[in-house]
Amino acid sequence: MSTKDLMRKEALNKLKELAEGIDFTMMDTNLGGKPSHIIPMSTKEVDATGAIWFLSNSNSKHNAYIERDNAVQLIYAKPGDMEYMTVFGHAYITTDRNVIKKYYGKFDDTWFDGIDDPNVTAIKVIPEEAYYWDTKNGKLTTFIKMGVGAVTGKKQDLGVEGELDIE
């Protein structure tokens, strides 16, 4: 793998591409505790500032952990496409009805009693550090390169990894 750190607009575009393309992340809260609390969350959007948005239940353990210590780690993985990203940041909970209406979809009825459910909250994660791993040419080409490397003994460039600096 080659290393390519991305800055500002290019980093924001990669963050958005991976977070929204992968969709589900494992959100890790209670980072200072043992064990930490890890749950799957569906990404609603990466906004123009790089903030990552989710919907959540006000009575959830992760909301309680965020209220005590808002440091979170997001772990995105799409092994089929060999795309991965980890994001460390701080989470903020809002009950702003306009924000909730913006992100609420029909699928969310699985978790809530409709858009007017008083337990619906939105979580905004502001990234501080992010790192990505991505193949350059897709899964098939990567597997072919891996095979070539195994047969020839020559190291192949299988993809790219690097830091995402959106500030």
Side-chain angles (χ1 to χ4, degrees):
M1 288 214 139
S2 57
T3 300
K4 183 176 182 187
D5 295 337
L6 303 177
M7 306 290 287
R8 294 173 197 78
K9 180 111 175 108
E10 194 176 17
L12 177 59
N13 290 341
K14 179 56 81 172
L15 179 78
K16 185 174 183 67
E17 171 193 328
L18 291 174
E20 291 179 359
I22 294 171
D23 183 12
F24 280 90
T25 186
M26 297 304 291
M27 179 185 282
D28 193 359
T29 59
N30 193 36
L31 297 182
K34 291 184 183 177
S36 62
H37 180 72
I38 302 174
I39 53 151
M41 296 287 284
S42 177
T43 303
K44 294 299 184 175
E45 177 189 38
V46 176
D47 70 20
T49 68
I52 305 169
W53 289 89
F54 306 92
L55 290 181
S56 182
N57 190 305
S58 63
N59 297 319
S60 65
K61 282 186 178 184
H62 52 277
N63 273 39
Y65 286 128
I66 289 169
E67 287 175 2
R68 280 190 293 199
D69 177 3
N70 69 343
V72 298
Q73 186 83 33
L74 304 175
I75 302 163
Y76 288 90
K78 194 172 188 181
D81 290 337
M82 300 183 81
E83 297 176 334
Y84 307 91
M85 180 173 60
T86 180
V87 177
F88 171 80
H90 286 86
Y92 301 89
I93 298 169
T94 182
T95 57
D96 183 315
R97 299 312 299 170
N98 290 323
V99 171
I100 291 167
K101 285 177 184 175
K102 177 179 180 179
Y103 294 119
Y104 197 93
K106 190 67 179 157
F107 179 75
D108 296 311
D109 287 344
T110 304
W111 306 106
F112 303 104
D113 292 328
I115 195 166
D116 295 319
D117 184 331
N119 294 316
V120 181
T121 64
I123 296 175
K124 176 183 183 179
V125 174
I126 299 175
E128 291 184 15
E129 294 180 23
Y131 201 87
Y132 75 103
W133 297 262
D134 194 4
T135 58
K136 292 180 186 175
N137 304 307
K139 182 170 72 171
L140 180 60
T141 302
T142 299
F143 283 136
I144 291 170
K145 285 183 173 187
M146 288 169 73
V148 168
V151 170
T152 65
K154 293 182 180 175
K155 197 174 222 180
Q156 301 291 308
D157 187 4
L158 300 177
V160 65
E161 65 178 291
E163 293 182 26
L164 299 175
D165 183 358
I166 62 171
E167 294 180 14

